[in-house]
Amino acid sequence: MAFIAITFWLLVLALVLMQKYLGKPTNVTLLEYQHGILYKKGKLVREVGPGSIRVWAGMEKVIILDMRPVQLSFDNRAVALTDGSTAVYGFSGGAKIRDARKALYSGQNYSQATAFVMLCCTRLVLNGSSSSNVQINRAAIEQQIVDRAKPKLEAMGFELLSFRLTQLSIAASAPRGERKLSASSAN
Amino acid sequence: MYRTACAQLRIFFQAQSIFTLVTTLTASFLSSHPSTNRLKAMNLGDNIWAAILFAGLTAGILARIYRQGGVRIFITDYQRGVRFVQGSFHDLLGPGSFASNPKREQVTIVDMRPQPILLERLQFQDAVLAGAVISIGAELIVADPVLAVTNLKNPLADSMTIVRDALRTVLSKTVAEPRNSARQKAATDIELAVNADLAKVGMRVANVEITELWSRPAKSSLGVGAN
């Protein structure tokens, strides 16, 4: 009798301790366009693909990433060219995650990484071009932007799917802010 | 570090004392019988008392376990947890799974991954008073989670103001030159200056890239100078 009681209570105690430190076994289901990264006690263990995975909720955690392509589009942005003119540009593009692990660590919000790289590269390439170059060699400029963006995105775990300059025109001979500055100083 | 070690030692000794109590009581209870097959030798009354004793002890341990921690906090390797106990900073939690009692302590989780930031078309006057435009791209990183959490309400948004101010200060002291070498030097200067200001609040910037730099050529004379 006593033996049974002791065993019973030890079992209860063991179950409670196990639940406290390991948590409850939980099923996590990843859809076909999702990818997961499994962490155990805070450390990265492995990547998991679509399907169902059983984790101990107290010790393990699955961070889910959406692998569907990210589409982005920006319009009416201004940039100063080498000769002092201002170009107004817009672009659209797409990218998708190639390496889930790299993408997760690339930034706090991994979906912003693509936009950040594309915005930086487009502005940098256009800022290094002259107005005549912009008007004549649009395709070459597009290619330059792609060449610059691709390795950066790859380093962040993304693959560039498409990039197109949807808008590119010369607006004025000096940046808008600069003209405002001159006007105010003249008064 | 010292506090954490003390807390761990205290928990260890508490657990050990409970275990010792349980084993001592069991041993004394069982050894009070002269028979070799003690369990069989116990009469019904003893068995009931043993069961009650163990039930009580287990209930006590269970109550203690439940009282200890309300929730579990999971911190991944790109996060840190800043633990405040009764309102004051206690320790910094690294990656792992931790029990936390929300009634007594609060844990603020800080994401240590870089946050890309863009500052576009910032207009300024450089050292020779020429009007100029600059755009930069950079990564904002939490350098010291404790400082960041205790000094900034929103570490990312509030840091942007500091970055902008530091940028204007450093740019007004330099001559804006769009050449590549000058750009790189300007980027290094910006990174140093901005980091000096951000260090006070536990943040820093990295990989500063000047994506746009244009300055109006300085006018040689405006009625002042040689004449």
Side-chain angles (χ1 to χ4, degrees):
Chain A
M1 174 72 181
F3 179 74
I4 293 168
I6 291 165
T7 316
F8 171 76
W9 284 113
L10 283 177
L11 211 66
V12 169
L13 203 61
L15 279 172
V16 169
L17 282 171
M18 199 174 81
Q19 194 185 327
K20 185 172 167 61
Y21 291 104
L22 298 178
K24 291 176 188 169
T26 316
N27 264 346
V28 177
T29 308
L30 298 172
L31 302 175
E32 61 179 22
Y33 56 80
Q34 290 176 329
H35 226 77
I37 294 177
L38 177 68
Y39 285 88
K40 192 174 183 178
K41 287 184 180 175
K43 300 275 163 59
L44 193 149
V45 180
R46 64 188 160 94
E47 285 179 35
V48 284
S52 197
I53 179 173
R54 204 168 178 79
V55 294
W56 288 94
M59 283 178 70
E60 296 174 330
K61 191 175 185 178
V62 179
I63 308 283
I64 299 171
L65 284 95
D66 197 323
M67 303 294 280
R68 289 175 292 187
V70 182
Q71 298 295 337
L72 37 99
S73 169
F74 290 93
D75 287 315
N76 294 322
R77 300 184 82 85
V79 60
L81 304 177
T82 47
D83 51 10
S85 346
T86 301
V88 177
Y89 68 96
F91 65 84
S92 67
K96 69 168 187 178
I97 295 175
R98 199 162 69 172
D99 186 335
R101 196 179 299 198
K102 273 187 187 174
L104 180 69
Y105 284 88
S106 67
Q108 291 185 12
N109 186 347
Y110 65 89
S111 58
Q112 287 177 355
T114 330
F116 171 73
V117 170
M118 283 190 186
L119 281 167
C120 279
C121 292
T122 310
R123 189 172 283 277
L124 189 64
V125 169
L126 287 173
N127 185 233
S129 312
S130 63
S131 54
S132 56
N133 197 20
V134 163
Q135 281 164 336
I136 299 163
N137 291 331
R138 191 169 161 157
I141 286 173
E142 235 175 51
Q143 192 54 46
Q144 271 185 56
I145 296 167
V146 170
D147 290 344
R148 191 172 269 274
K150 251 186 179 170
K152 284 192 175 184
L153 284 172
E154 276 169 16
M156 289 177 155
F158 287 87
E159 182 188 351
L160 183 65
L161 297 176
S162 63
F163 178 84
R164 198 165 65 87
L165 279 170
T166 51
Q167 180 189 12
L168 187 58
S169 56
I170 308 298
S173 60
R176 200 190 297 165
E178 182 53 34
R179 279 188 282 133
K180 271 184 192 166
L181 198 72
S182 319
S184 62
S185 61
N187 297 342
Chain B
M1 195 71 165
Y2 174 73
R3 280 180 180 180
T4 318
C6 284
Q8 281 173 352
L9 272 175
R10 203 165 51 237
I11 290 165
F12 173 73
F13 282 123
Q14 278 173 359
Q16 202 191 29
S17 60
I18 290 168
F19 180 74
T20 317
L21 182 71
V22 172
T23 46
T24 317
L25 281 173
T26 317
S28 61
F29 210 84
L30 296 177
S31 62
S32 61
H33 292 272
S35 164
T36 46
N37 194 351
R38 286 175 182 123
L39 281 173
K40 279 182 183 175
M42 279 180 166
N43 59 30
L44 186 64
D46 286 345
N47 285 343
I48 289 169
W49 280 114
I52 290 170
L53 175 72
F54 264 92
L57 280 173
T58 318
I61 294 168
L62 290 179
R64 194 178 181 81
I65 289 167
Y66 277 116
R67 211 173 53 232
Q68 259 182 3
V71 290
R72 284 201 82 76
I73 293 169
F74 193 92
I75 298 173
T76 53
D77 58 1
Y78 55 79
Q79 294 174 326
R80 296 289 178 273
V82 184
R83 180 152 56 185
F84 296 90
V85 177
Q86 289 177 343
S88 59
F89 170 69
H90 187 260
D91 59 351
L92 185 67
L93 302 176
S97 178
F98 304 91
S100 172
N101 183 358
K103 286 179 189 166
R104 208 172 146 260
E105 58 190 38
Q106 289 80 41
V107 177
T108 309
I109 294 176
V110 183
D111 199 323
M112 306 292 285
R113 290 176 296 179
Q115 171 69 29
I117 54 164
L118 282 173
L119 280 172
E120 293 193 321
R121 301 191 68 73
L122 198 71
Q123 289 159 23
F124 66 99
Q125 280 193 317
D126 66 5
V128 291
L129 297 181
V133 176
I134 192 170
S135 299
I136 65 159
E139 285 177 347
L140 193 61
I141 302 165
V142 178
D144 185 336
V146 182
L147 266 183
V149 164
T150 49
N151 283 289
L152 302 170
K153 196 172 175 184
N154 181 345
L156 291 177
D158 295 347
S159 298
M160 287 298 281
T161 318
I162 299 170
V163 172
R164 211 178 277 268
D165 285 349
L167 198 60
R168 278 187 198 280
T169 310
V170 71
L171 288 172
S172 64
K173 291 173 189 165
T174 55
V175 178
E177 274 188 80
R179 280 183 298 115
N180 262 348
S181 55
R183 265 187 196 220
Q184 278 168 9
K185 190 184 173 302
T188 315
D189 291 347
I190 288 168
E191 196 168 321
L192 287 173
V194 172
N195 279 341
D197 280 3
L198 283 178
K200 294 169 196 163
V201 291
M203 304 288 291
R204 72 182 175 91
V205 289
N207 302 329
V208 175
E209 185 180 28
I210 296 175
T211 53
E212 181 185 16
L213 185 59
W214 180 85
S215 73
R216 180 180 287 278
K219 287 173 184 169
S220 57
S221 66
L222 289 169
V224 289
N227 21 327

